Amino acid sequence: MRLQSCSYRFPASLLLSSAVFLLTSSAAWATPIDDPVAPESTTVLPSEPLESVAEDSFEQVTSVSQLSDVQPTDWAFEALRSLVERYSCIAGYPNGTYRGNRAMTRYEFAAGLNACLNRVNELILEGTTNRVTKDDLAALQKLQDEFSTELATLRGRVDGLEARTTELELTQFSTTTKLNAEIIVAATDTFGDRVGDNRDRTRPILADRARLNLETSFNGKDLLRTRLEFGNFGNLANETGTNMTRLNFDGNVNNNVVIPHLLYRTPITSNLSLTFGPVGLGYTDITDTLTPPTVASDSLGIPSKFGEYSPLYRRGGGGGAINWNIQKNLILTVGYLAGDANIPQEKNGLFDGSYNAMAQLAYYGDWGAVGVTYSRSYAPSSKVDLTGSTGSFLATRPFGDNIATSTDSVGIQGFYRFSPHVQVHAWGVYTRANAESSGISSLADGRGGNVLLNVNGGDRADVLYGAIGLTFPDVGGKGNLSGILVGLPPRVISSDVRDERDSSYHIESFYRFQVNGNISITPGFWVVINPENDSRNDTQWVGLIRTSFNF
């Protein structure tokens, strides 16, 4: 509404107080009320939604000169000055501007008028009647009558919001805790002979996995997450003979409810935060995988376990990490996680058993992000897993099942947005493994069997892996995501004990169709050429249809 629609005049000293909407909204008049001296070139800007307006805070001004975009030559200058000096009811933006050429709706005008009436009542109660004249009150009364419908509607909305707020407070689960749920139901099958065999051993399956995160905040800045989880996805590797066919959401607890994850995060200072937890804390919980949004999501992103994000991040346990915002776009993470933090026996606990220590430096920009990561790990013979169960069995345990192993890994990862609908991401990791004990050990032979070899303490093995992917947000509709990924699964490229003869190749494609804000359906498939880094093995094909519920 423009103010010319008002059919009456009132004093210039009350010109803007009658629309004290200026106190609480960024919208302002585009043209004066029947003012013959208003410039014809006044620019009318569209009104802003209240939601966007609310994002800007306002600051009370004591002098009209504090408003940098208001000049003495402006037609409303005297009215603005009167409002500041007589009524103290003008607010500007934090950057010292007023934005006087904004249009507004009738509801916005009514909201401002209501605020003005409240201010006048305050002045009357304070006994400052010399600041409010009879002419002022008469003009305000006319405005109140003119906008009686809008004021009544506004009061009704406020009453309705208060009622809904009361109802929510009475019926909500907790005033400090909310529930975030992720439920995955998928049908999947593989095609191709089992590694080292001459027949396909898998059959189509339909299974589920659900995660219920109870997220609690005690002060609005911290987070306590308690996860309840159940599922019945069988491990495809048991039938295909290779971890390269695994889904990123597999895991079978026979749909019994477990608590695999407990985390607490809190800021320490304005640029330091602490994350810690006794169980189920992974690198992905303490730092960023540096992949585009939702690509590294079990329910919304790439379906394969290898392709979802760099396997370097598939390490965890119980412990903590510090995140330091060195600058606005530069973050350093330092973390330490123990594999058996809860076991008090010898060769266990926080510092006497398996562990994963990491440091990551990440830089973020409007174009994307990039980072470098270092990880130091140690595991006793029974718990060695260098690849997060994504590569060949030899790359996972390069010294077999009877040798304690330490590793030093360096990874680089990042993503780049070419446009809102095209983005690329990539990662690569080099790992050096060291044998920390000696003896006869059983090593994977690449054909589904094992070979006994002697391992000496100090023997070394080098493992390499990486991938590059293209994703296309909103293709075919808002919220959809399609993508392709090509990668080299973890492979032992050199070893003092046993090398691998070939390289595996991972090629994957998927398309997520976003049904609505809570439901998505994702068909996907990937092919593994030379499974277990051995060309004698049959090519493995994996297909699935994943339905995800997020709420």
Side-chain angles (χ1 to χ4, degrees), residues 168-242:
L168 287 173
E169 290 176 347
L170 292 174
T171 59
Q172 65 181 334
F173 168 74
S174 169
T175 58
T176 58
T177 303
K178 64 180 181 179
L179 170 67
N180 287 323
E182 175 192 77
I183 299 174
I184 299 172
V185 178
T188 184
D189 195 9
T190 68
F191 308 92
D193 294 342
R194 176 186 169 89
V195 168
D197 203 346
N198 58 4
R199 67 189 183 98
D200 183 352
R201 292 179 176 270
T202 64
R203 299 294 181 269
I205 65 169
L206 177 67
D208 65 82
R209 193 203 71 184
R211 286 179 171 176
L212 308 178
N213 289 332
L214 299 175
E215 299 191 339
T216 302
S217 181
F218 302 104
N219 56 28
K221 297 180 180 180
D222 61 343
L223 170 67
L224 172 64
R225 179 189 297 144
T226 305
R227 175 174 295 162
L228 307 178
E229 182 173 326
F230 60 88
N232 64 353
F233 271 103
N235 186 345
L236 294 176
N238 295 335
E239 302 304 323
T240 62
T242 177

Coordinates of all heavy atoms in Angstrom, one line a residue, residues 168-242:
L168 N 2.3 -26.2 21.9 CA 3.6 -26.9 21.7 C 4.4 -27.1 23.0 O 5.0 -28.2 23.2 CB 4.4 -26.1 20.7 CG 3.9 -26.1 19.2 CD1 4.7 -25.1 18.4 CD2 4.1 -27.5 18.6
E169 N 4.4 -26.1 23.8 CA 5.1 -26.2 25.1 C 4.5 -27.3 26.0 O 5.2 -28.0 26.7 CB 5.1 -24.9 25.9 CG 5.9 -23.8 25.2 CD 5.8 -22.5 25.9 OE1 4.9 -22.4 26.8 OE2 6.6 -21.6 25.7
L170 N 3.2 -27.5 25.9 CA 2.6 -28.6 26.7 C 2.7 -30.0 26.1 O 2.7 -30.9 26.9 CB 1.1 -28.3 26.8 CG 0.7 -27.0 27.7 CD1 -0.8 -26.8 27.6 CD2 1.2 -27.1 29.1
T171 N 2.8 -30.1 24.8 CA 2.9 -31.4 24.1 C 4.2 -31.8 23.6 O 4.4 -33.0 23.3 CB 1.9 -31.4 23.0 OG1 2.3 -30.4 22.0 CG2 0.5 -31.1 23.4
Q172 N 5.2 -30.9 23.6 CA 6.5 -31.3 23.0 C 7.2 -32.3 24.0 O 7.0 -32.4 25.2 CB 7.4 -30.1 22.8 CG 7.8 -29.4 24.1 CD 8.6 -28.2 23.8 OE1 9.3 -28.1 22.8 NE2 8.6 -27.2 24.7
F173 N 8.1 -33.1 23.3 CA 8.8 -34.2 24.1 C 9.7 -33.5 25.2 O 9.7 -34.0 26.3 CB 9.6 -35.0 23.1 CG 10.6 -35.9 23.8 CD1 10.2 -37.0 24.4 CD2 12.0 -35.5 23.8 CE1 11.1 -37.9 25.0 CE2 12.9 -36.4 24.4 CZ 12.5 -37.5 25.0
S174 N 10.4 -32.5 24.8 CA 11.3 -31.8 25.8 C 11.5 -30.4 25.3 O 11.4 -30.1 24.1 CB 12.6 -32.6 25.9 OG 13.6 -31.8 26.6
T175 N 11.7 -29.5 26.3 CA 12.0 -28.1 26.0 C 13.5 -28.0 25.5 O 13.8 -26.9 24.9 CB 11.8 -27.2 27.2 OG1 12.6 -27.7 28.3 CG2 10.3 -27.3 27.6
T176 N 14.3 -29.0 25.7 CA 15.7 -28.9 25.3 C 16.1 -29.9 24.3 O 17.2 -29.8 23.7 CB 16.6 -29.1 26.5 OG1 16.3 -30.4 27.1 CG2 16.4 -28.0 27.6
T177 N 15.2 -30.9 24.0 CA 15.6 -32.0 23.1 C 14.7 -32.1 21.9 O 13.5 -31.9 22.0 CB 15.6 -33.3 23.9 OG1 16.5 -33.2 25.0 CG2 16.0 -34.5 23.0
K178 N 15.3 -32.3 20.7 CA 14.5 -32.6 19.5 C 14.9 -33.9 18.9 O 16.0 -34.4 19.1 CB 14.6 -31.4 18.5 CG 16.0 -31.2 18.0 CD 16.0 -30.1 17.0 CE 17.4 -29.9 16.4 NZ 17.4 -28.8 15.4
L179 N 14.0 -34.5 18.1 CA 14.3 -35.8 17.4 C 14.6 -35.5 16.0 O 13.8 -34.9 15.3 CB 13.1 -36.7 17.6 CG 13.2 -38.0 16.8 CD1 14.3 -38.9 17.3 CD2 11.8 -38.8 16.9
N180 N 15.7 -36.1 15.5 CA 16.0 -36.1 14.1 C 16.1 -37.6 13.6 O 16.9 -38.3 14.2 CB 17.3 -35.4 13.7 CG 17.2 -33.9 13.8 OD1 16.1 -33.3 13.5 ND2 18.2 -33.2 14.3
A181 N 15.4 -37.9 12.7 CA 15.3 -39.4 12.3 C 15.7 -39.5 10.8 O 15.5 -38.7 10.0 CB 13.9 -39.9 12.5
E182 N 16.4 -40.7 10.6 CA 16.8 -41.1 9.2 C 16.5 -42.5 9.1 O 17.0 -43.4 9.8 CB 18.3 -40.8 9.0 CG 18.8 -41.4 7.7 CD 20.3 -41.4 7.6 OE1 20.9 -42.3 8.2 OE2 20.9 -40.5 7.0
I183 N 15.6 -42.9 8.2 CA 15.2 -44.2 8.0 C 15.4 -44.6 6.5 O 15.0 -43.9 5.6 CB 13.7 -44.5 8.3 CG1 13.4 -44.1 9.8 CG2 13.3 -45.9 8.0 CD1 12.0 -44.2 10.2
I184 N 16.1 -45.7 6.3 CA 16.5 -46.2 5.0 C 15.9 -47.5 4.7 O 16.1 -48.5 5.6 CB 18.0 -46.2 4.8 CG1 18.6 -44.8 5.0 CG2 18.4 -46.8 3.4 CD1 20.1 -44.8 5.0
V185 N 15.2 -47.7 3.6 CA 14.7 -49.0 3.2 C 15.2 -49.2 1.8 O 15.0 -48.3 0.9 CB 13.2 -49.1 3.2 CG1 12.7 -50.4 2.7 CG2 12.6 -48.8 4.6
A186 N 15.9 -50.3 1.5 CA 16.5 -50.5 0.2 C 16.4 -51.9 -0.3 O 16.4 -52.9 0.5 CB 18.0 -50.1 0.2
A187 N 16.2 -52.0 -1.6 CA 16.3 -53.3 -2.3 C 17.6 -53.3 -3.1 O 17.9 -52.4 -3.8 CB 15.1 -53.5 -3.2
T188 N 18.4 -54.4 -3.0 CA 19.7 -54.5 -3.6 C 20.0 -55.9 -4.0 O 19.5 -56.9 -3.5 CB 20.8 -53.9 -2.7 OG1 22.0 -53.8 -3.4 CG2 20.9 -54.7 -1.5
D189 N 20.9 -56.0 -5.0 CA 21.4 -57.3 -5.5 C 22.7 -57.0 -6.2 O 23.0 -55.9 -6.7 CB 20.4 -58.0 -6.4 CG 20.8 -59.5 -6.6 OD1 21.7 -60.0 -5.8 OD2 20.2 -60.1 -7.4
T190 N 23.6 -58.0 -6.3 CA 24.8 -57.9 -7.1 C 24.8 -59.0 -8.2 O 24.1 -60.0 -8.1 CB 26.0 -58.2 -6.2 OG1 26.1 -59.6 -5.8 CG2 26.0 -57.3 -4.9
F191 N 25.6 -58.7 -9.2 CA 25.7 -59.6 -10.3 C 27.2 -59.8 -10.6 O 27.9 -58.9 -10.7 CB 25.0 -59.0 -11.5 CG 23.6 -58.6 -11.2 CD1 23.3 -57.3 -10.8 CD2 22.5 -59.5 -11.3 CE1 22.0 -56.9 -10.5 CE2 21.2 -59.1 -11.0 CZ 21.0 -57.8 -10.6
G192 N 27.5 -61.1 -10.8 CA 28.9 -61.4 -11.1 C 29.4 -62.5 -10.1 O 28.9 -62.7 -9.0
D193 N 30.3 -63.4 -10.6 CA 30.7 -64.5 -9.8 C 31.5 -64.0 -8.6 O 32.2 -63.0 -8.7 CB 31.7 -65.4 -10.7 CG 30.9 -66.1 -11.8 OD1 29.7 -66.1 -11.7 OD2 31.6 -66.5 -12.8
R194 N 31.3 -64.7 -7.5 CA 32.1 -64.4 -6.3 C 33.6 -64.5 -6.6 O 34.1 -65.2 -7.4 CB 31.7 -65.4 -5.2 CG 32.5 -65.3 -3.9 CD 32.1 -66.4 -2.9 NE 33.0 -66.5 -1.8 CZ 32.8 -65.8 -0.7 NH1 31.7 -65.0 -0.5 NH2 33.7 -65.8 0.3
V195 N 34.3 -63.6 -5.8 CA 35.8 -63.6 -6.0 C 36.3 -65.0 -5.8 O 36.0 -65.7 -4.7 CB 36.4 -62.6 -5.0 CG1 37.9 -62.8 -4.9 CG2 36.1 -61.2 -5.4
G196 N 37.1 -65.5 -6.7 CA 37.7 -66.8 -6.6 C 36.8 -68.0 -6.9 O 37.1 -69.1 -6.7
D197 N 35.6 -67.7 -7.3 CA 34.5 -68.7 -7.5 C 34.0 -68.6 -9.0 O 34.3 -67.6 -9.7 CB 33.4 -68.5 -6.5 CG 32.6 -69.8 -6.3 OD1 32.8 -70.8 -7.1 OD2 31.8 -69.9 -5.3
N198 N 33.1 -69.5 -9.4 CA 32.6 -69.5 -10.7 C 31.1 -69.3 -10.7 O 30.4 -69.7 -11.7 CB 33.0 -70.7 -11.5 CG 32.6 -72.0 -10.8 OD1 31.9 -72.0 -9.8 ND2 33.0 -73.2 -11.4
R199 N 30.5 -68.8 -9.6 CA 29.1 -68.6 -9.6 C 28.7 -67.4 -8.7 O 29.5 -67.0 -7.8 CB 28.3 -69.8 -9.2 CG 28.5 -70.2 -7.7 CD 27.9 -71.6 -7.5 NE 28.0 -72.0 -6.1 CZ 27.0 -71.8 -5.2 NH1 25.9 -71.2 -5.5 NH2 27.2 -72.3 -3.9
D200 N 27.6 -66.8 -9.0 CA 27.0 -65.7 -8.3 C 26.3 -66.2 -7.1 O 25.3 -67.0 -7.2 CB 26.1 -64.9 -9.2 CG 25.5 -63.6 -8.5 OD1 25.7 -63.5 -7.3 OD2 24.8 -62.8 -9.2
R201 N 26.7 -65.8 -5.9 CA 26.1 -66.3 -4.6 C 25.1 -65.4 -4.0 O 24.5 -65.8 -3.0 CB 27.2 -66.6 -3.6 CG 28.2 -67.7 -4.0 CD 29.3 -68.0 -3.0 NE 30.1 -69.1 -3.3 CZ 29.9 -70.4 -2.9 NH1 28.8 -70.6 -2.2 NH2 30.7 -71.3 -3.2
T202 N 24.9 -64.2 -4.5 CA 24.0 -63.3 -3.9 C 22.6 -63.4 -4.4 O 22.4 -63.9 -5.6 CB 24.4 -61.8 -4.0 OG1 24.4 -61.5 -5.4 CG2 25.8 -61.6 -3.5
R203 N 21.6 -63.0 -3.6 CA 20.2 -63.0 -4.0 C 19.6 -61.6 -3.7 O 20.1 -60.9 -2.8 CB 19.4 -64.1 -3.3 CG 19.9 -65.5 -3.6 CD 19.6 -65.9 -5.0 NE 20.0 -67.2 -5.3 CZ 21.2 -67.6 -5.8 NH1 22.1 -66.6 -6.0 NH2 21.5 -68.8 -6.0
P204 N 18.6 -61.2 -4.4 CA 18.0 -59.9 -4.0 C 17.5 -59.8 -2.6 O 17.0 -60.8 -2.0 CB 16.8 -59.8 -5.0 CG 17.1 -60.7 -6.1 CD 17.9 -61.9 -5.5
I205 N 17.7 -58.7 -1.9 CA 17.3 -58.5 -0.5 C 16.5 -57.2 -0.4 O 16.7 -56.3 -1.2 CB 18.5 -58.5 0.4 CG1 19.4 -57.3 0.2 CG2 19.3 -59.8 0.3 CD1 20.5 -57.1 1.2
L206 N 15.7 -57.1 0.6 CA 15.0 -55.9 1.0 C 15.3 -55.8 2.5 O 15.0 -56.7 3.3 CB 13.5 -56.0 0.7 CG 12.7 -54.8 1.2 CD1 13.0 -53.6 0.4 CD2 11.2 -55.1 1.1
A207 N 15.9 -54.6 2.9 CA 16.2 -54.5 4.3 C 16.1 -53.0 4.7 O 15.8 -52.2 3.9 CB 17.7 -55.0 4.6
D208 N 16.4 -52.8 6.0 CA 16.2 -51.4 6.6 C 17.3 -51.1 7.5 O 18.0 -51.9 8.1 CB 14.8 -51.3 7.3 CG 14.8 -52.2 8.5 OD1 15.3 -51.8 9.6 OD2 14.3 -53.4 8.4
R209 N 17.4 -49.8 7.7 CA 18.3 -49.2 8.8 C 17.7 -47.9 9.3 O 17.3 -47.1 8.4 CB 19.7 -49.0 8.4 CG 20.7 -48.7 9.6 CD 21.9 -48.0 9.2 NE 21.6 -46.6 8.9 CZ 22.6 -45.7 8.4 NH1 23.8 -46.1 8.3 NH2 22.2 -44.5 8.1
A210 N 17.6 -47.7 10.6 CA 17.0 -46.5 11.1 C 18.0 -45.9 12.2 O 18.5 -46.6 13.0 CB 15.6 -46.7 11.7
R211 N 18.1 -44.6 12.1 CA 18.8 -43.9 13.2 C 17.9 -42.8 13.7 O 17.4 -42.0 13.0 CB 20.1 -43.2 12.6 CG 21.2 -44.2 12.3 CD 22.4 -43.6 11.7 NE 23.5 -44.5 11.6 CZ 24.7 -44.2 11.1 NH1 24.9 -43.0 10.5 NH2 25.7 -45.1 11.0
L212 N 17.8 -42.8 15.0 CA 17.0 -41.8 15.7 C 17.9 -41.0 16.6 O 18.5 -41.5 17.6 CB 15.9 -42.4 16.6 CG 15.0 -43.5 15.9 CD1 14.0 -44.1 16.8 CD2 14.3 -42.8 14.7
N213 N 18.2 -39.7 16.2 CA 19.1 -38.9 17.0 C 18.3 -38.0 17.9 O 17.5 -37.2 17.5 CB 19.9 -38.0 16.0 CG 21.0 -38.8 15.3 OD1 21.4 -39.9 15.7 ND2 21.3 -38.4 14.1
L214 N 18.6 -38.1 19.2 CA 18.0 -37.2 20.2 C 19.0 -36.1 20.4 O 20.1 -36.4 21.0 CB 17.7 -38.0 21.5 CG 16.7 -39.1 21.4 CD1 16.5 -39.8 22.7 CD2 15.3 -38.6 21.0
E215 N 18.7 -34.9 20.0 CA 19.7 -33.8 20.0 C 19.2 -32.8 21.0 O 18.2 -32.2 20.9 CB 19.9 -33.2 18.6 CG 20.4 -34.2 17.6 CD 20.8 -33.6 16.3 OE1 20.4 -32.5 16.0 OE2 21.6 -34.3 15.6
T216 N 20.1 -32.6 22.0 CA 19.8 -31.7 23.2 C 20.7 -30.5 23.2 O 21.9 -30.7 23.0 CB 19.9 -32.5 24.5 OG1 19.0 -33.7 24.4 CG2 19.5 -31.7 25.7
S217 N 20.1 -29.4 23.5 CA 21.0 -28.2 23.7 C 20.6 -27.6 25.1 O 19.4 -27.3 25.3 CB 20.8 -27.2 22.6 OG 21.6 -26.0 22.8
F218 N 21.5 -27.3 25.9 CA 21.3 -26.7 27.2 C 21.4 -25.2 27.2 O 20.8 -24.5 28.1 CB 22.2 -27.3 28.2 CG 22.2 -28.8 28.3 CD1 23.2 -29.6 27.7 CD2 21.1 -29.4 28.9 CE1 23.1 -31.0 27.8 CE2 21.0 -30.8 29.0 CZ 22.0 -31.6 28.4
N219 N 22.1 -24.6 26.2 CA 22.2 -23.2 26.2 C 22.0 -22.6 24.8 O 22.2 -21.4 24.6 CB 23.6 -22.7 26.8 CG 24.7 -23.4 26.0 OD1 24.6 -23.7 24.9 ND2 25.9 -23.6 26.7
G220 N 21.6 -23.4 23.9 CA 21.4 -22.9 22.5 C 22.6 -22.9 21.6 O 22.5 -22.8 20.4
K221 N 23.8 -23.2 22.2 CA 25.0 -23.2 21.4 C 25.6 -24.6 21.5 O 26.4 -25.0 20.6 CB 26.0 -22.2 21.9 CG 25.5 -20.8 21.8 CD 26.5 -19.8 22.3 CE 26.0 -18.3 22.2 NZ 27.0 -17.4 22.7
D222 N 25.4 -25.4 22.5 CA 26.0 -26.7 22.6 C 25.1 -27.8 22.0 O 23.9 -27.5 21.7 CB 26.3 -27.0 24.1 CG 25.1 -27.1 25.0 OD1 24.0 -26.5 24.5 OD2 25.1 -27.6 26.1
L223 N 25.6 -29.0 21.9 CA 24.8 -30.1 21.4 C 25.2 -31.4 22.1 O 26.4 -31.8 22.1 CB 25.1 -30.3 19.9 CG 24.5 -31.5 19.2 CD1 23.0 -31.5 19.2 CD2 25.0 -31.7 17.8
L224 N 24.2 -32.1 22.6 CA 24.4 -33.5 23.1 C 23.5 -34.4 22.2 O 22.3 -34.3 22.1 CB 23.9 -33.6 24.6 CG 23.8 -35.0 25.1 CD1 25.2 -35.6 25.2 CD2 23.1 -35.0 26.5
R225 N 24.2 -35.3 21.5 CA 23.5 -36.2 20.6 C 23.6 -37.7 21.1 O 24.6 -38.2 21.4 CB 24.1 -36.2 19.2 CG 23.4 -37.1 18.2 CD 24.2 -37.2 16.9 NE 24.2 -36.0 16.2 CZ 25.2 -35.5 15.5 NH1 26.4 -36.2 15.5 NH2 25.2 -34.4 14.9
T226 N 22.4 -38.3 21.3 CA 22.3 -39.7 21.7 C 21.6 -40.4 20.5 O 20.5 -40.0 20.2 CB 21.5 -39.8 23.0 OG1 22.0 -39.0 24.0 CG2 21.4 -41.3 23.4
R227 N 22.3 -41.4 20.0 CA 21.7 -42.1 18.8 C 21.2 -43.5 19.1 O 21.9 -44.3 19.8 CB 22.8 -42.2 17.7 CG 22.3 -43.0 16.5 CD 23.4 -43.0 15.4 NE 23.6 -41.6 14.9 CZ 24.6 -41.2 14.2 NH1 25.6 -42.1 14.0 NH2 24.7 -40.0 13.8
L228 N 20.0 -43.7 18.7 CA 19.4 -45.0 18.8 C 19.4 -45.6 17.4 O 19.0 -44.9 16.4 CB 18.0 -45.0 19.3 CG 17.8 -44.3 20.7 CD1 16.3 -44.3 21.1 CD2 18.6 -44.9 21.8
E229 N 19.8 -46.8 17.2 CA 19.9 -47.4 15.9 C 19.4 -48.8 15.8 O 19.7 -49.6 16.8 CB 21.3 -47.3 15.4 CG 21.6 -47.8 14.0 CD 23.0 -47.5 13.4 OE1 23.5 -46.4 13.8 OE2 23.5 -48.3 12.7
F230 N 18.8 -49.2 14.7 CA 18.5 -50.6 14.5 C 18.5 -50.8 13.0 O 18.4 -49.9 12.2 CB 17.1 -51.0 15.1 CG 16.0 -50.2 14.5 CD1 15.3 -50.6 13.4 CD2 15.5 -49.1 15.2 CE1 14.2 -49.9 12.9 CE2 14.4 -48.3 14.7 CZ 13.8 -48.8 13.5
G231 N 18.7 -52.1 12.6 CA 18.8 -52.4 11.1 C 19.0 -53.9 10.9 O 19.3 -54.6 11.8
N232 N 18.9 -54.3 9.6 CA 19.1 -55.7 9.3 C 19.7 -55.9 7.9 O 19.4 -56.9 7.3 CB 17.7 -56.5 9.4 CG 16.7 -56.0 8.4 OD1 16.9 -55.0 7.7 ND2 15.6 -56.7 8.3
F233 N 20.5 -54.9 7.5 CA 21.2 -55.1 6.2 C 22.4 -56.1 6.4 O 23.3 -55.8 7.2 CB 21.7 -53.7 5.7 CG 20.8 -52.9 4.9 CD1 20.1 -51.9 5.5 CD2 20.5 -53.3 3.6 CE1 19.2 -51.1 4.7 CE2 19.6 -52.6 2.8 CZ 19.0 -51.5 3.4
G234 N 22.3 -57.1 5.6 CA 23.4 -58.0 5.6 C 24.6 -57.4 4.8 O 24.5 -56.6 4.0
N235 N 25.8 -58.0 5.1 CA 27.0 -57.5 4.4 C 27.2 -58.2 3.1 O 27.5 -59.4 3.1 CB 28.2 -57.7 5.4 CG 29.5 -57.1 4.8 OD1 29.6 -56.7 3.7 ND2 30.5 -57.0 5.7
L236 N 27.1 -57.5 2.0 CA 27.3 -58.1 0.7 C 28.6 -58.7 0.5 O 28.8 -59.7 -0.3 CB 27.0 -57.1 -0.4 CG 25.6 -56.5 -0.5 CD1 25.5 -55.4 -1.6 CD2 24.6 -57.6 -0.8
A237 N 29.6 -58.2 1.2 CA 31.0 -58.8 1.0 C 31.1 -60.2 1.4 O 31.9 -61.0 0.9 CB 32.0 -58.0 1.9
N238 N 30.2 -60.7 2.3 CA 30.2 -62.1 2.7 C 29.9 -63.0 1.6 O 30.3 -64.2 1.6 CB 29.2 -62.3 3.9 CG 29.6 -61.6 5.1 OD1 30.8 -61.3 5.4 ND2 28.6 -61.2 6.0
E239 N 29.2 -62.5 0.6 CA 28.8 -63.3 -0.5 C 29.5 -63.0 -1.8 O 29.7 -63.9 -2.7 CB 27.3 -63.2 -0.8 CG 26.4 -63.6 0.4 CD 26.7 -65.0 0.9 OE1 26.9 -65.9 0.1 OE2 26.6 -65.2 2.1
T240 N 29.9 -61.8 -2.0 CA 30.7 -61.4 -3.2 C 32.2 -61.6 -3.0 O 32.9 -61.7 -4.0 CB 30.5 -59.9 -3.5 OG1 31.0 -59.1 -2.4 CG2 29.0 -59.6 -3.7
G241 N 32.7 -61.7 -1.8 CA 34.1 -62.0 -1.5 C 34.9 -60.7 -1.6 O 36.2 -60.8 -1.6
T242 N 34.3 -59.5 -1.6 CA 35.1 -58.3 -1.6 C 34.3 -57.2 -0.9 O 33.1 -57.1 -1.1 CB 35.5 -57.9 -3.0 OG1 36.1 -56.6 -3.0 CG2 34.2 -57.8 -3.9

